[in-house]
Amino acid sequence: DRIAHGGFGQPMSSNVPTETEDALRDLDGPANAAAPAPVLLQQVRRKIRLFLAIGLAIGLALVLTGVLLILDGQSVRDALESSVNGALGSRANIGTTINRAVPFALAGLGFVVATRAGLFNIGASGQLLFGGLCATAVGLTLHLPKPLLLGVMVVAGAIGGGVWGLVPGLLKARFNVHEVVATIMMNWIAYWVVYYSVPAYLKGQFLETESRKLPEVASLKVAWLTELFDGSYINLGLLV
């Protein structure tokens, strides 16, 4: 047993409960002394409810889509086949699907982080747009070795997205402006900033709303991955 010092420096065995220990045990109560099995069961039930909610949301989305297609006189079967073939019908389609899914996955992770902090961040799309604009501007203007340039682009994109998310955060902290309202407004501001900036400063050769093509030194595209997915736009960004 541990030895604690009693009055006048005399040792006292720790198996003699003190008043503080009795009070702490009373605060804990008998329920907290039980095995953690009920807590584990609650966690399992919570996970099951979460997966059921996700499945229900997907099912309802498919049902409502089918109803709208029927009302419009379209074939539900043809629409489903086109959706599946467009996403998974070939190696190129699979590569393109993965390539487009990665930014959405990162935006979803950003939403989860904010939710963990007790905030409802609806501004992920605006932060993604502005961060992408910053990274693209760096890739089209700086002339650096590829590893260094890619690193600078990543940092520029992260800073741009962070700055765009900082504005609603400051409004929330300083003026108690609700983050849902602020982030939604910032989404539209980011959209129009990109819509103006690309034709004005980064315009490509063919479309008004398309930037110039990134040079090879500023791209994560690699030949072996392009060949593996039959010429799709997939790149090393999927490793993120």
Side-chain angles (χ1 to χ4, degrees), residues 70-199:
I70 292 173
L71 292 177
D72 194 46
Q74 305 297 324
S75 171
V76 176
R77 179 179 178 180
D78 291 344
L80 289 175
E81 287 181 354
S82 298
S83 298
V84 174
N85 289 333
L88 307 171
S90 66
R91 286 187 297 165
N93 291 352
I94 293 173
T96 301
T97 299
I98 296 174
N99 184 55
R100 292 179 177 176
V102 169
F104 291 111
L106 289 176
L109 288 174
F111 175 82
V112 170
V113 171
T115 303
R116 288 285 187 178
L119 299 173
F120 206 64
N121 180 23
I122 307 295
S125 59
Q127 294 152 23
L128 188 66
L129 276 173
F130 192 73
L133 176 65
C134 294
T136 302
V138 169
L140 291 174
T141 54
L142 296 185
H143 303 283
L144 300 171
K146 184 167 187 174
L148 181 58
L149 180 58
L150 291 176
V152 173
M153 289 175 65
V154 170
V155 172
I159 293 175
V163 168
W164 214 252
L166 179 64
V167 175
L170 291 177
L171 292 175
K172 174 74 173 181
R174 183 68 178 84
F175 303 104
N176 200 27
V177 177
H178 201 286
E179 65 272 13
V180 171
V181 177
T183 51
I184 288 177
M185 290 192 297
M186 292 298 291
N187 284 344
W188 282 106
I189 296 173
Y191 173 83
W192 288 110
V193 167
V194 173
Y195 193 84
Y196 167 78
S197 300
V198 169

